[in-house]
């Protein structure tokens, strides 16, 4: 397993030159001095002791943070449970916000774990070691996932969509499964069925809301003002970019 970790580090670092020119092993020694404003609020309570990173060899830290996976475990499933179509670039952050940039990452919304896949090497990362993940989405920017963010899903990551002075919003992808009853399905016995749920944090608590304007504006408060903003700018709450504009406007009211 140790050889797998070493090869993972060596293979991943050159692909992440855009994040830093130093090696991943050197990056493990860095600690971000200031967390972003949402950091303390977002971190889950059940996390690995920060001091472990200082006391352990960095490779040993990664060894303790991963679990090997069976490559063919979804061979009888149709579809897939992943957040992104392809495994790509991302940054793992531990509790102290130290960065672990890697390629070949994806989030499995069915298991609630972040996975690394490269050839026959397939592993998942323990969320208590890495409670925050940032996926590079190119021109779209960064998609941030936080473990234990939503009380309804304490054992999963959720996408932090917006974090303002008064309002926060998150999207949780839940993957359902159902039996495939098609006679010509062959070996496929089960299908994945993903569905996204929108949550807003207002008045000190998370609340499930809707991607539909009427329900969303009611839950955000200032219904008339927010609805007027949506109509005048012809925004669609079901579109992520439009939704972020709506949230930013409501946060400023």
């Amino acid at each position: 397993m140790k050889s797998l970790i070493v090869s993972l580090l060596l293979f991943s670092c050159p692909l992440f030159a855009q994040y830093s020119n130093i090696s991943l092993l050197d990056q493990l020694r860095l600690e971000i001095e200031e967390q972003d404003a949402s950091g303390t609020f977002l971190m889950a309570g059940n996390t690995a002791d920060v001091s472990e990173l200082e006391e352990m060899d960095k490779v040993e830290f990664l060894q303790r943070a991963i679990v090997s996976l069976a490559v063919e475990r979804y061979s009888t499933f149709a579809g897939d449970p992943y957040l992104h179509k392809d495994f790509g670039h991302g940054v793992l952050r531990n509790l102290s916000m130290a960065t672990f940039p890697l390629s070949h990452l994806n989030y499995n919304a069915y298991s609630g774990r972040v996975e690394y896949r490269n050839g026959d090497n397939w592993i998942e990362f323990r969320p208590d070691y890495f409670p925050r993940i940032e996926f590079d989405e190119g021109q779209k920017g960064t998609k941030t996932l936080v473990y234990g963010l939503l009380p309804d899903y304490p054992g999963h990551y959720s996408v932090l969509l917006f974090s303002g002075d008064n309002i926060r919003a998150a999207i949780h992808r839940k993957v359902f499964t159902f039996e495939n009853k098609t006679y010509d399905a062959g070996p496929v016995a089960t299908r994945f069925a993903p569905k996204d749920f929108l949550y807003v944090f207002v008045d000190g608590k998370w609340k499930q809301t809707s991607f539909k304007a009427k329900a969303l504006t009611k839950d955000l408060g200032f219904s008339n003002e927010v609805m007027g903003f949506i109509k005048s700018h012809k925004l669609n709450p079901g579109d992520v970019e439009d939704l972020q504009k709506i949230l930013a406007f409501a946060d400023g009211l």
Side-chain angles (χ1 to χ4, degrees):
M1 180 65 72
K2 190 168 185 176
S3 61
L4 167 60
I5 296 297
V6 174
S7 63
L8 184 152
L9 298 180
L10 292 175
F11 189 85
S12 300
C13 291
L15 295 179
F16 253 83
Q18 67 269 35
Y19 289 101
S20 177
N21 292 324
I22 60 178
S23 69
L24 178 57
L25 287 176
D26 289 334
Q27 286 204 16
L28 299 183
R29 301 178 184 180
L30 300 179
E31 296 290 337
I32 296 179
E33 295 183 357
E34 295 184 4
Q35 294 189 29
D36 58 87
S38 60
T40 302
F41 171 81
L42 295 172
M43 291 299 108
N46 184 23
T47 50
D49 190 342
V50 178
S51 63
E52 287 183 333
L53 186 59
E54 300 172 352
E55 297 172 358
M56 284 189 290
D57 175 82
K58 305 309 184 294
V59 174
E60 181 185 351
F61 180 85
L62 280 176
Q63 280 186 296
R64 293 178 59 175
I66 68 173
V67 177
S68 296
L69 298 174
V71 176
E72 301 298 328
R73 71 192 190 286
Y74 294 142
S75 60
T76 60
F77 286 67
D80 70 65
Y82 295 101
L83 183 63
H84 297 104
K85 180 180 179 181
D86 301 310
F87 281 63
H89 302 312
V91 175
L92 311 179
R93 290 186 182 270
N94 71 351
L95 182 59
S96 62
M97 299 298 285
T99 58
F100 296 66
L102 294 169
S103 59
H104 305 96
L105 294 177
N106 209 337
Y107 174 59
N108 185 329
Y110 180 64
S111 68
R113 299 294 181 264
V114 174
E115 298 180 6
Y116 168 91
R117 182 173 66 184
N118 184 16
D120 292 333
N121 295 326
W122 203 331
I123 58 177
E124 68 179 19
F125 296 92
R126 289 177 51 186
D128 51 337
Y129 279 75
F130 298 111
R132 187 175 178 123
I133 316 296
E134 297 167 1
F135 284 102
D136 179 5
E137 298 199 329
Q139 295 182 349
K140 293 182 179 180
T142 300
K143 178 176 287 185
T144 300
L145 278 69
V146 181
Y147 182 70
L149 174 61
L150 298 175
D152 287 351
Y153 302 99
H156 286 68
Y157 290 84
S158 300
V159 176
L160 177 62
L161 180 67
F162 179 84
S163 182
D165 295 330
N166 304 298
I167 294 173
R168 295 181 176 91
I171 293 178
H172 184 82
R173 174 162 294 184
K174 185 173 182 179
V175 177
F176 299 90
T177 59
F178 62 92
E179 184 180 354
N180 186 354
K181 297 182 179 181
T182 304
Y183 290 105
D184 60 353
V188 177
T190 308
R191 289 186 178 274
F192 288 117
K195 184 176 181 180
D196 289 340
F197 296 89
L198 178 62
Y199 284 76
V200 292
F201 187 84
V202 292
D203 298 328
K205 62 181 180 181
W206 284 103
K207 180 179 182 180
Q208 184 178 337
T209 184
S210 171
F211 289 99
K212 295 183 178 180
K214 185 176 181 179
L216 175 61
T217 55
K218 180 181 178 180
D219 290 330
L220 288 175
F222 306 102
S223 296
N224 293 335
E225 295 89 337
V226 177
M227 183 63 79
F229 177 77
I230 292 173
K231 291 181 177 179
S232 63
H233 291 80
K234 299 180 180 180
L235 300 176
N236 174 17
D239 177 84
V240 171
E241 292 185 4
D242 283 359
L243 179 56
Q244 289 174 324
K245 293 176 183 177
I246 296 168
L247 294 167
F249 175 78
D251 187 60
L253 294 174

